[in-house]
């Protein structure tokens, strides 16, 4: 049985992500709501081993300490942000591997925040990318430079096409409205717009996306250089 991943809706438009390894242990990424997290963990069998944090914003970490207490789980997050994350049991940096399932590899993705990290499970084709890469969008540059974010997105875009993009928010439809102003004739983007509308009308998440789908339709991954990316990001901030 492969490692599975499912979105857990929290707050207004956040997703935490619940992973279940073949041995039954669970990991929960970016939970802002401990009660919603506990309901998902209990429904999945209750052995929460890990809480993985992508960055320090409250809408990704506010439930972590209570869940750690409740299940005896360990918290992992960027060592660079240890001063502004809940107490870390496992401080992480680029290239580290967490012993969960086949091993979760840490990718440094500065830009949205300076210490942002992503988690990649290569054999399971799972990417937990917080507020770096969104479905048809990317995070705002709150702490980083366009150069940093462009490089971070390039690292994620280089992952295999089938990699599932498990991002931190349900922003797809708003992102598509902007993307269609950039590439109105992109057929892949037009198809995503139809799919997203149908999913939301049915009350379902539009995520995870895949790296292949994002490369085909996400204007922020399609920007050819830093200047083009920076202009796009600025235009989206004003949109
Ligand atoms: Zn954030
Ligand atoms: Fe967020």
């Amino acid at each position: 049985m492969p490692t599975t991943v499912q979105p857990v809706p929290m707050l207004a438009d956040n997703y935490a992500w619940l992973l279940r390894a073949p041995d039954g242990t669970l990991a929960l990424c970016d939970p802002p709501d401990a009660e919603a997290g506990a309901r998902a963990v209990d429904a999945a069998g209750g052995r929460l081993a890990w809480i993985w944090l992508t960055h320090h914003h409250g809408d990704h970490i506010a439930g972590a300490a209570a869940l750690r207490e409740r299940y005896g789980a360990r918290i992992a997050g960027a060592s660079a942000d240890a001063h502004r994350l809940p107490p870390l049991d496992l401080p992480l940096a680029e290239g580290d591997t967490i012993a969960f399932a086949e091993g979760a590899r840490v990718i440094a993705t500065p830009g949205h925040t300076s210490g942002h990290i992503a988690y990649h499970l290569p054999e399971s084709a799972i990417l937990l990318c917080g507020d770096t890469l969104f479905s048809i969008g990317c995070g705002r540059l709150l702490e980083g430079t366009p150069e940093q974010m462009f490089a971070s997105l390039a690292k994620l875009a280089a992952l295999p096409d089938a990699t599932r993009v498990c991002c931190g928010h349900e922003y797809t439809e708003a992102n598509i409205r902007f993307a269609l102003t950039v590439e109105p004739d992109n057929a892949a983007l037009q198809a995503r717009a139809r799919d997203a509308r149908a999913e939301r009308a049915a009350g379902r998440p539009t995520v995870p996306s895949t790296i292949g789908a994002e490369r085909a339709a996400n204007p922020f991954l399609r920007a050819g250089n830093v200047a083009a990316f920076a202009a796009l990001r600025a235009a989206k901030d004003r949109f």
Side-chain angles (χ1 to χ4, degrees), residues 55 57 59-60 112 131:
H55 68 295
H57 290 153
D59 64 313
H60 298 255
H112 177 65
D131 289 356

Side-chain angles (χ1 to χ4, degrees), residues 24 32 38 44 75 82 93 126 132 134 153 155-156 163 177-179 183 200 207:
I75 298 180
I126 294 169
T132 297
F134 290 126
L153 291 172
K155 283 197 247 182
L156 302 185
T163 307
R177 282 192 286 279
F178 172 75
E183 288 195 70
R200 296 311 286 160
V207 292

